Amino acid sequence: MLVDGHNRVVDYLRVSVTERCNFRCQYCMPEKPFSWVPKENLLSYEELFKFVQVAIDEGIKKVRITGGEPLLREGLEHFIKMIYDYKNDIDLALTSNAYLLPQAAQKLKSAGLKRINISLDSLKPDVAAKIAQKDVLSTVLKGIQTAHDVGLKIKINCVPMRGVNDTELVDILEFCKQRGYTVRFIEFMENQHAYSGAKGYTSEEIQAIIAQKYNFKKLERTGSSPSQDYILDDGYVFGIIEPHKDDFCATCNRVRLTASGVLIPCLYFEDAQSIKEAIKNNDIDKAVAILKEVLANKPEKNKWSADDTSSRAFYETGG
Ligand code: SAM
Ligand code: SF4
């Protein structure tokens, strides 16, 4: 079992397989970064898998693959299958923008993927195109439907942005409710890579918008999810992820690995360590030692502050 320096059991690994993306979301990567990690600096799938194996042996029970856009990296289904074949009861999930899902969903499901979280910020083609800086909506909707049809469990992530998609929050909630998907609204996290004019909504403001149409109650927090859940009168549950607060830190169970082998104990904490050399040298003991050291130094609470916007890019850490 992996336990961090504050006695929290860490059993959730998020693996970013690329920082590249086919969208340019205003809140994440509005401009093409000039500092892409060169391909040769990335860990191969075999190397990433070597670390995932170690992490599973040490107690990881849930693995989420993310990016950038993970479906841009060729052969993702093989990586998923490697993990599934190693331990088929691992909770194996993916976060994606869904653009490549129409052709990939069946392959991912057959490889062992169970769940998928999809970004959907608007149901209006022009607004979706403004956010992603590309005409994406019809393909994204097709991707979501295909994922549903092949039997993947779906959650939708939506980042409400002031003056952009704020009139659509109820529509997005209803889109999800009608189809049996969970929706989570995510407070926009200020960061140095986002469009400088981007402004988000607080959880309270998001609740006030939904309250104009629906009655709902706050649910007790259970488990380790960062989402604060709310239940409508008809039983539908939606969530709000409130990264500006630190209520969820007490039960945080996660650690992140970037595509170039950097282990990050917390999104809003600059310290991190690389397992790249250890994995490339097949030095498994060293990789385990680094993992345990990173967890020993995992901060008790996130160190995010509004005056000191994070320099870490979401497309690098995988969100
Ligand atoms: N490309 C995939 C996608 O968009 O789902 C996976 C990577 S993306 C970095 C993971 C999540 O981070 C997405 O749900 C996205 O909405 C969220 N995200 C990115 N930038 C954010 C920001 N500045 N504030 C809050 N959430 C953000
Ligand atoms: Fe790409 Fe996801 Fe970032 Fe949008 S949020 S730019 S889809 S990595």
Side-chain angles (χ1 to χ4, degrees):
M1 192 196 293
L2 290 165
V3 180
D4 76 2
H6 301 280
N7 261 330
R8 293 169 295 198
V9 173
V10 174
D11 58 8
Y12 177 14
L13 173 68
R14 294 173 68 102
V15 182
S16 170
V17 295
T18 181
E19 58 175 11
R20 295 173 192 240
C21 193
N22 42 0
F23 288 14
R24 289 291 173 272
C25 299
Q26 292 185 15
Y27 49 73
C28 179
M29 191 200 304
E31 281 157 28
K32 182 175 168 25
F34 46 82
S35 60
W36 289 129
V37 175
K39 268 200 180 130
E40 58 274 19
N41 289 356
L42 298 182
L43 291 180
S44 65
Y45 280 138
E46 287 69 25
E47 289 164 340
L48 287 171
F49 174 61
K50 222 183 272 178
F51 182 76
V52 171
Q53 251 178 322
V54 168
I56 290 174
D57 292 347
E58 291 294 324
I60 290 294
K61 295 194 167 45
K62 172 173 174 182
V63 176
R64 174 174 298 279
I65 296 160
T66 176
E69 176 46 43
L71 294 179
L72 277 185
R73 187 157 172 187
E74 225 175 293
L76 186 70
E77 67 276 15
H78 303 304
F79 181 50
I80 288 173
K81 186 154 174 17
M82 284 182 215
I83 302 172
Y84 180 78
D85 285 347
Y86 187 63
K87 203 159 189 308
N88 62 15
D89 61 349
I90 283 285
D91 182 1
L92 197 45
L94 178 76
T95 303
S96 167
N97 62 29
Y99 196 77
L100 296 172
L101 269 184
Q103 55 270 43
Q106 182 60 64
K107 280 189 277 187
L108 298 170
K109 171 75 175 148
S110 305
L113 188 71
K114 295 175 182 146
R115 302 190 294 112
I116 186 158
N117 288 7
I118 296 172
S119 297
L120 180 71
D121 296 315
S122 174
L123 293 167
K124 295 182 182 163
D126 56 327
V127 177
K130 188 175 170 196
I131 296 171
Q133 302 189 70
K134 176 169 171 170
D135 181 15
V136 294
L137 186 65
S138 59
T139 311
V140 165
L141 292 178
K142 192 168 164 211
I144 294 173
Q145 187 61 45
T146 313
H148 176 84
D149 292 345
V150 302
L152 289 165
K153 200 163 171 237
I154 295 173
K155 277 189 188 162
I156 298 293
N157 290 331
C158 169
V159 181
M161 303 294 299
R162 218 164 274 273
V164 183
N165 60 349
D166 41 8
T167 57
E168 292 188 66
L169 304 191
V170 167
D171 294 344
I172 291 172
L173 180 140
E174 288 173 347
F175 172 90
C176 295
K177 186 155 100 77
Q178 283 154 13
R179 291 164 177 78
Y181 312 151
T182 302
V183 63
R184 280 118 40 101
F185 297 102
I186 309 177
E187 286 181 349
F188 165 64
M189 287 304 301
E190 298 74 3
N191 70 87
Q192 292 169 16
H193 306 267
Y195 162 57
S196 59
K199 295 254 176 316
Y201 277 86
T202 63
S203 170
E204 289 71 22
E205 290 170 324
I206 296 167
Q207 289 172 58
I209 293 172
I210 294 169
Q212 288 171 10
K213 178 145 182 199
Y214 289 103
N215 288 323
F216 55 85
K217 283 197 212 94
K218 189 173 177 171
L219 291 172
E220 283 284 306
R221 274 184 185 279
T222 52
S224 302
S225 169
S227 170
Q228 171 61 62
D229 289 341
Y230 299 85
I231 184 163
L232 302 188
D233 286 349
D234 65 6
Y236 177 73
V237 174
F238 69 97
I240 303 182
I241 298 183
E242 307 167 334
H244 294 90
K245 298 183 183 154
D246 54 25
D247 311 20
F248 53 86
C249 296
T251 55
C252 182
N253 64 342
R254 58 191 65 192
V255 61
R256 293 170 165 81
L257 180 68
T258 71
S260 51
V262 177
L263 258 186
I264 300 174
C266 173
L267 258 189
Y268 315 111
F269 181 62
E270 295 298 327
D271 290 4
Q273 283 200 55
S274 177
I275 47 100
K276 186 168 157 188
E277 287 316 310
I279 288 295
K280 284 199 178 285
N281 295 332
N282 215 6
D283 189 345
I284 301 305
D285 290 346
K286 176 86 180 160
V288 172
I290 295 171
L291 171 61
K292 291 193 170 162
E293 202 177 311
V294 165
L295 294 184
N297 292 326
K298 187 170 158 69
E300 185 177 11
K301 292 189 170 180
N302 75 62
K303 304 271 192 225
W304 190 86
S305 105
D307 313 325
D308 171 28
T309 56
S310 174
S311 61
R312 218 176 243 154
F314 274 75
Y315 57 81
E316 190 189 1
T317 58

